[in-house]
Amino acid sequence: MKAVRIERYGNEEVMALGEVERPTPADKELLVKVRAAAVNPVDWKIRDGLGELFGLKPPLILGCEIAGTVEAVGGPSRAGASDFAPGDDVYGYLGAHSGGYAEYVAAPASEFVRKPKQIDFDTAASVPVAALTAWQGIFDHGELASGQRILITGASGAVGSMAVQLAKNKGAYVIGTGSGRNKEFVRQLGADEFIDYKNAKFEDKVSGLDVVFDTVGGDTQERAFQTLKRAGVLVSTVSPPSAEKAKEFGVTVAMVMMMAKSDQLAEINRLVESGKLKARVATVLPLTQVKKAHQLSSSGHADGKIILRP
């Protein structure tokens, strides 16, 4: 099968599309024919060398988020994978952080859910990482509850847009920041207020918030402290918020380190199926253009997910 593999860590030039042996699913695993693989920042960070921290050793196939069709169910007894059968359309997050940029992938059945018929493979591949990151950020760390007020920075991005929808579905009052060109998109997701960061400082517009969910980092994260009430929570997907500032403002801080959780993915899938949660696909490229996909992702200017098709 064809796959994008790296033999060593480095820039996008270390990625090469070539022929590799098709994987064989073990017990409790599915062999999935990949129809769409999403590009995530963690992919090029692994490529740059972060993979060492995850215990990943080259050569390895990049990609952790896919949608496709079950080709085979591993093991003679199909133990642990009996919910699936060949021909089922599925999507999921690969907990091993790798294997997705390929024509086939073998991974535990617990990492997949059935793809709702009303969404395509590109959209399905865009769901798991962004939705799980948003879910764990605003609910597990932020403990967001109905009636609370939350500020979401970078609300038009892949993670931010999921957070807007999840927070609104929870019954929270949602304020999103972003570029003015994304105002209508963010409002359509359910945001109660939108602040164009180019025309106004959000700390001048809002205060007394229960939760801030930061997907931008840097100066944006620093200024976000001013918007929280005492005992509020600042959660970031980008960098650990300052413990000193947390003490100064009397708030709790956390950083999301997203983990694969099958129960959360199942709940997310129910929201997708009911139409209450939508993913935004920005760009679709063939697997042969993986270098371009990584350049676009690392630029930070993609409004939604970048998809690779084998």
Side-chain angles (χ1 to χ4, degrees):
M1 68 171 187
K2 287 185 170 57
V4 172
R5 194 163 69 158
I6 62 171
E7 300 284 346
R8 57 187 171 84
Y9 294 121
N11 62 21
E12 61 264 17
E13 295 304 319
V14 303
M15 297 186 293
L17 180 65
E19 289 287 337
V20 300
E21 187 176 346
R22 193 171 89 168
T24 300
D27 278 345
K28 302 182 182 180
E29 286 191 339
L30 302 178
L31 176 67
V32 177
K33 181 178 177 61
V34 179
R35 309 282 186 177
V39 175
N40 290 282
V42 71
D43 298 346
W44 46 265
K45 289 177 181 177
I46 285 173
R47 184 208 71 207
D48 281 344
L50 184 67
E52 290 191 52
L53 292 179
F54 292 155
L56 299 175
K57 302 291 184 185
L60 60 91
I61 298 168
L62 296 171
C64 63
E65 189 175 33
I66 67 149
T69 303
V70 176
E71 187 85 1
V73 178
S77 65
R78 301 178 65 211
S82 58
D83 289 344
F84 299 98
D88 288 344
D89 292 334
V90 298
Y91 70 93
Y93 165 71
L94 308 177
H97 304 292
S98 62
Y101 294 2
E103 291 183 303
Y104 293 89
V105 66
S110 59
E111 295 179 349
F112 295 99
V113 290
R114 277 189 176 79
K115 180 184 78 65
K117 289 182 171 60
Q118 63 266 40
I119 64 170
D120 59 24
F121 288 106
D122 296 338
T123 302
S126 304
V127 171
V129 169
L132 284 167
T133 302
W135 183 291
Q136 292 168 21
I138 64 178
F139 298 140
D140 293 358
H141 293 293
E143 298 184 356
L144 184 72
S146 178
Q148 290 190 327
R149 297 167 72 235
I150 182 173
L151 173 71
I152 298 167
T153 65
S156 66
V159 176
S161 62
M162 287 292 187
V164 170
Q165 296 172 83
L166 290 171
K168 196 62 190 170
N169 190 65
K170 187 73 172 180
Y173 185 89
V174 181
I175 305 153
T177 75
S179 170
R181 63 190 167 87
N182 285 309
K183 178 179 179 179
E184 285 310 309
F185 170 67
V186 175
R187 291 302 298 267
Q188 286 170 8
L189 293 176
D192 298 284
E193 293 182 41
F194 179 85
I195 300 170
D196 182 349
Y197 73 87
K198 293 181 179 177
N199 293 332
K201 290 186 175 182
F202 58 77
E203 66 269 30
D204 295 336
K205 298 282 187 180
V206 293
S207 61
L209 298 173
D210 297 284
V211 181
V212 171
F213 185 58
D214 164 51
T215 72
V216 178
D219 177 62
T220 298
Q221 183 187 103
E222 292 296 302
R223 293 186 287 116
F225 280 96
Q226 302 171 44
T227 69
L228 286 162
K229 70 178 186 182
R230 303 290 289 186
V233 186
L234 170 58
V235 184
S236 179
T237 66
V238 186
S239 57
S242 166
E244 288 182 7
K245 279 213 162 192
K247 189 174 182 180
E248 176 189 343
F249 285 91
V251 300
T252 301
V253 295
M255 182 174 170
V256 188
M257 300 297 288
M258 192 272 285
M259 298 173 63
K261 293 188 177 182
S262 58
D263 58 333
Q264 291 179 355
L265 186 57
E267 184 60 35
I268 285 163
N269 194 44
R270 283 190 280 273
L271 292 173
V272 172
E273 198 162 22
S274 66
K276 294 178 180 177
L277 192 63
K278 295 179 172 66
R280 189 183 197 185
V281 177
T283 307
V284 179
L285 297 168
L287 195 56
T288 54
Q289 293 189 34
V290 64
K291 293 177 183 178
K292 179 180 178 181
H294 274 215
Q295 289 167 351
L296 184 57
S297 175
S298 61
S299 74
H301 297 308
D303 289 327
K305 274 298 179 76
I306 301 160
I307 297 295
L308 292 169
R309 286 185 186 161

